[in-house]
Amino acid sequence: MTATDLKRLEVWFITGSQHLYGEETLREVAKHSTAIAKSLNEQPNVTVKSVFQPVVNSTDEVYNLCLEANTARNCIGIITWMHTFSPAKMWINGLKILHKPLCHLHTQFNRDIPWDTIDMDFMNTNQSAHGDREFGFIMSRLRLDRKVVVGHWQDKNVVGQIAGWTRAAIGWYDWQGARFVRFGDNMRYVAVTDGDKVEAELKFGYSVNTHGIGDLVKMINDARDNAITKLCDEYAERYNLVTSLKKGNPQHQSLREAARIELGLRRFLKEGNYKGFTDTFEDLHGMVQLPGLPVQRLMNDGYGFGGEGDWKTAALVRVMKTMATGLPGGNSFMEDYTYHFEPGSEMVLGSHMLEICSSIADGKPSCEIHPLGIGGKADPVRLVFNVAGGHALNASIVDMGNRFRLLVNEVTAVKPKNKLPKLPVARVLWKPLPDMQTGCAAWILAGGAHHTCYSQNLSAELLQDFADIAGIECIHINKQTTLSQLKNELRWNEVYYK
């Protein structure tokens, strides 16, 4: 999804009032609401259009507007605000049918109290302080998950929270009706990459279906030589191509084979309208090499990916990339691979056999070819790079049997000090928060997968917003986490979800 695509999407700004206050007050309410919606449109970090909707003053008006929001193709959610007192019983029927994400903005038009001029007319018009409480009660009574943002509408922190929520709503919108394809099954005997695809479609709105690898191989074999040559020229321009892969050298044919695979994959995904895919090294019959470079490039273009048939991670990578559209930094399929237990400098080395997205690369990647002692195929081409230091997070979705759980662990990435000359894969080092022992133990206690989406640009709050929209459990591991607190949270959640 591009920034241009996002500008076609809308959040509807809906203000509640009632006829009790008269037409003059309602005109002022509409004027103020229009100004707030217009201001949100002018904020560079709010990536979608904020559309003012007529002030609602009755049960029928609320119901009809919620019905319209449900069916409006470009509406990804609504922002509500009670400028005056809006009796909440008139909201019940509308909220009962609403299927779009909801953000409750608890604000008022004026930032400060006009001490010298305030009178009862002003008080009657500007009643958000208790009008929003009435509205908040009915949403709690209806057990509705929603985002609550408190503060003046021009405050940068308030705008930032709204901007984050709109990105979560964008992700939810992107999942509705999305399609993900699995080439083959998941890796044999592996538990965490499996799950209930029917329940996922019911809960998340996307479908996951399998194609035999032969369906893909046919499209790979159909790739034309001139298209392969053109793509190899692009590789040479975009990456630091090792000498052996360049034209006229012994392994250039391997580069052409990688290009052939990429062309076939792109065609298959485009024709099937898929937003992501999985493969497994145990089922690549008919392919010459494992698809390393092609997968890395497809992820960089926004496709979701999960290794070894991990469709939940493929869907998560896709949605996190979508939510991060236009932000600096990247998101990638990731795996906790091995540990560095040096006292005082404990770290995780994250990597995979081949498939780490170049959106998180620190500098221009090197395009290389090396043997791979798994999969039984020819040496695969891949991009090799390090990842910069800084704040980041790992996220994982797991199927707990009676529910889906989203885990988020904030981490501090560390720029590698060593060359790693014999590790020809993309790699990143990080320190889990709050520390190695607590972070890893918390992840394991919560059942977190070894596959994740590594993000340089999304916040834990945004992912919590997304989990709330999806109606799923979210476990957040950060610098405040203690194991006793986490164990209690897991116990409480187990009771809640039963």
Side-chain angles (χ1 to χ4, degrees), residues 138-156:
I138 204 62
M139 287 192 291
S140 295
R141 178 69 175 80
L142 291 169
R143 308 300 195 267
L144 291 182
D145 286 320
R146 73 277 192 190
K147 175 76 171 180
V148 178
V149 178
V150 180
H152 192 254
W153 53 279
Q154 291 177 314
D155 182 270
K156 66 178 183 179

Side-chain angles (χ1 to χ4, degrees), residues 21 24-25 28 83-84 117-127:
Y21 303 111
E24 184 178 347
T25 297
E28 186 174 4
H83 190 307
T84 63
T117 60
I118 187 170
D119 55 19
M120 284 310 299
D121 286 340
F122 181 92
M123 296 275 275
N124 279 333
T125 304
N126 299 279
Q127 297 187 56

Side-chain angles (χ1 to χ4, degrees), residues 76-354:
I76 65 168
I78 67 172
I79 300 174
T80 57
W81 172 45
M82 305 303 113
H83 190 307
T84 63
F85 194 80
S86 181
K89 286 177 70 176
M90 79 183 203
W91 285 85
I92 292 174
N93 288 338
L95 293 175
K96 278 169 60 178
I97 66 163
L98 183 68
H99 299 308
K100 297 291 175 77
L102 189 153
C103 174
H104 181 192
L105 176 58
H106 183 38
T107 190
Q108 63 185 29
F109 189 71
N110 56 296
R111 192 195 69 175
D112 303 329
I113 293 174
W115 303 106
D116 294 335
T117 60
I118 187 170
D119 55 19
M120 284 310 299
D121 286 340
F122 181 92
M123 296 275 275
N124 279 333
T125 304
N126 299 279
Q127 297 187 56
S128 302
H130 65 286
D132 277 326
R133 282 171 165 78
E134 165 78 353
F135 183 64
F137 163 75
I138 204 62
M139 287 192 291
S140 295
R141 178 69 175 80
L142 291 169
R143 308 300 195 267
L144 291 182
D145 286 320
R146 73 277 192 190
K147 175 76 171 180
V148 178
V149 178
V150 180
H152 192 254
W153 53 279
Q154 291 177 314
D155 182 270
K156 66 178 183 179
N157 292 325
V158 168
V159 174
Q161 288 184 68
I162 293 172
W165 173 82
T166 61
R167 287 187 176 274
I170 288 165
W172 184 247
Y173 171 86
D174 187 67
W175 260 6
Q176 305 315 298
R179 304 175 68 194
F180 294 88
V181 60
R182 301 169 75 212
F183 297 115
D185 204 347
N186 67 308
M187 183 178 172
R188 299 178 193 118
Y189 303 109
V190 178
V192 77
T193 57
D194 217 335
D196 189 334
K197 295 188 286 295
V198 173
E199 185 62 26
E201 188 163 355
L202 287 169
K203 192 70 178 173
F204 299 133
Y206 64 74
S207 65
V208 182
N209 289 289
T210 299
H211 273 262
I213 196 69
D215 294 339
L216 173 60
V217 168
K218 183 180 184 305
M219 290 195 178
I220 292 172
N221 291 339
D222 286 344
R224 298 187 176 186
D225 284 345
N226 59 345
I228 293 171
T229 299
K230 183 178 178 181
L231 191 51
C232 287
D233 290 341
E234 182 181 332
Y235 296 160
E237 182 180 342
R238 290 192 60 179
Y239 313 117
N240 294 317
L241 206 62
V242 296
T243 302
S244 65
L245 291 175
K246 293 179 180 178
K247 288 181 181 178
N249 288 302
Q251 293 177 305
H252 181 66
Q253 185 57 39
S254 296
L255 187 70
R256 292 185 63 84
E257 190 58 41
R260 184 188 301 278
I261 292 171
E262 179 177 336
L263 290 167
L265 264 170
R266 283 189 184 277
R267 179 184 162 197
F268 194 104
L269 296 172
K270 184 176 181 180
E271 290 186 4
N273 196 27
Y274 293 109
K275 293 184 176 181
F277 64 103
T278 72
D279 63 17
T280 173
F281 62 89
E282 290 179 322
D283 189 1
L284 293 172
H285 182 72
M287 295 180 67
V288 174
Q289 60 179 259
L290 274 72
L293 174 62
V295 171
Q296 292 175 294
R297 284 172 49 83
L298 285 161
M299 262 196 290
N300 191 60
D301 289 345
Y303 286 99
F305 173 76
E308 292 95 51
D310 189 351
W311 53 269
K312 297 187 297 299
T313 300
L316 184 62
V317 169
R318 163 66 189 195
V319 83
M320 289 175 67
K321 282 181 170 292
T322 300
M323 291 189 291
T325 300
L327 295 177
N331 293 267
S332 175
F333 173 69
M334 187 58 67
E335 181 170 88
D336 297 62
Y337 227 101
T338 194
Y339 290 147
H340 182 67
F341 274 133
E342 178 188 355
S345 188
E346 297 92 342
M347 291 180 288
V348 179
L349 174 62
S351 186
H352 204 252
M353 295 184 299
L354 302 168

Side-chain angles (χ1 to χ4, degrees), residues 47-64:
T47 54
V48 299
K49 226 186 282 184
S50 177
V51 178
F52 166 77
Q53 296 294 333
V55 177
V56 289
N57 300 291
S58 68
T59 299
D60 287 344
E61 289 175 3
V62 171
Y63 181 87
N64 290 334

